[in-house]
Amino acid sequence: MTATYTFDVFASVDGYGSYPPPGDWGGYWGRQGPELLRRREELYSSDVRMVLGATTFREFVEMLSADQYPELDDTWVGRMRRMPTTVVSSTLDGDLDWPDVTVARGDAAEVVARLKEESDVPLRSHGSLGLNRDLMAAGLVDVVQLTVFPVLTGRTGERPVLADAEDFDLELLEHRVLDDRTVELTYRPSLRTWD
């Protein structure tokens, strides 16, 4: 049986995944609400294997240090951090401040194809934009779960979530509105070819 792979990503309405200074939106672009947090808890309450790229993994390690933010341990983010994690990287070495991490070297598509065949739990990736764009192009992403926050970050936005992606048709599997403002869209992607 092949494990399902979900690309879980946050974005502003105009498609950005992050913002640098002078942007001072705060976490969740300042749109955190109880329904959003309950939904994230639900998504991360069952067993999954996380799959991350090296850049996102380094950012998470820096942001989510257990020593720096002990209160995260009881949130969905703390659960994500404790889940078995595979990082696809040819550059990570040394002590990796993460409870259960494996570094997989080699071609990302080959690594993830093998994980899909061998894993007895679903695979999930949060962020890791470049990695997931490549995996989508290789046909390895089964579900794209896009959480869209009600902000426009035209001046401060960076990291366009789907920039440089291939063309895809998206079949809407599920949608929900959280806290009367944030929209979660769950899609099945199908690569579009133009022959």
Side-chain angles (χ1 to χ4, degrees), residues 76-122:
W76 75 269
V77 176
R79 288 184 187 146
M80 179 182 70
R81 188 175 183 278
R82 290 189 308 275
M83 290 176 170
T85 302
T86 297
V87 180
V88 181
S89 173
S90 59
T91 60
L92 281 176
D93 284 315
D95 183 27
L96 305 175
D97 184 17
W98 206 258
D100 185 359
V101 65
T102 301
V103 176
R105 302 192 188 286
D107 178 75
E110 291 175 9
V111 167
V112 171
R114 186 177 64 249
L115 281 173
K116 286 183 70 154
E117 289 300 321
E118 296 173 355
S119 182
D120 56 356
V121 296

Side-chain angles (χ1 to χ4, degrees), residues 17-40:
S18 185
Y19 55 86
D24 189 17
W25 300 89
Y28 307 101
W29 284 275
R31 301 306 187 269
Q32 175 178 319
E35 289 179 355
L36 171 70
L37 294 179
R38 276 194 303 275
R39 176 64 176 151
R40 299 308 294 177

Side-chain angles (χ1 to χ4, degrees), residues 57-91:
F57 178 74
R58 285 185 188 101
E59 290 172 352
F60 282 175
V61 167
E62 184 178 325
M63 269 191 320
L64 306 178
S65 166
D67 296 336
Q68 187 175 356
Y69 297 107
E71 70 276 9
L72 290 178
D73 197 47
D74 290 330
T75 67
W76 75 269
V77 176
R79 288 184 187 146
M80 179 182 70
R81 188 175 183 278
R82 290 189 308 275
M83 290 176 170
T85 302
T86 297
V87 180
V88 181
S89 173
S90 59
T91 60

Side-chain angles (χ1 to χ4, degrees), residues 89-161:
S89 173
S90 59
T91 60
L92 281 176
D93 284 315
D95 183 27
L96 305 175
D97 184 17
W98 206 258
D100 185 359
V101 65
T102 301
V103 176
R105 302 192 188 286
D107 178 75
E110 291 175 9
V111 167
V112 171
R114 186 177 64 249
L115 281 173
K116 286 183 70 154
E117 289 300 321
E118 296 173 355
S119 182
D120 56 356
V121 296
L123 306 174
R124 188 171 192 87
S125 184
H126 183 64
S128 297
L129 303 179
L131 170 69
N132 284 302
R133 285 188 296 254
D134 291 346
L135 295 176
M136 285 177 65
L140 294 168
V141 174
D142 302 296
V143 175
V144 175
Q145 191 164 50
L146 174 64
T147 304
V148 181
F149 291 85
V151 297
L152 294 174
T153 58
R155 188 167 70 89
T156 59
E158 70 175 5
R159 298 185 187 168
V161 171

Side-chain angles (χ1 to χ4, degrees), residues 2-25:
T2 301
T4 301
Y5 185 102
T6 300
F7 171 27
D8 172 17
V9 64
F10 291 169
S12 61
V13 168
D14 50 348
Y16 290 99
S18 185
Y19 55 86
D24 189 17
W25 300 89

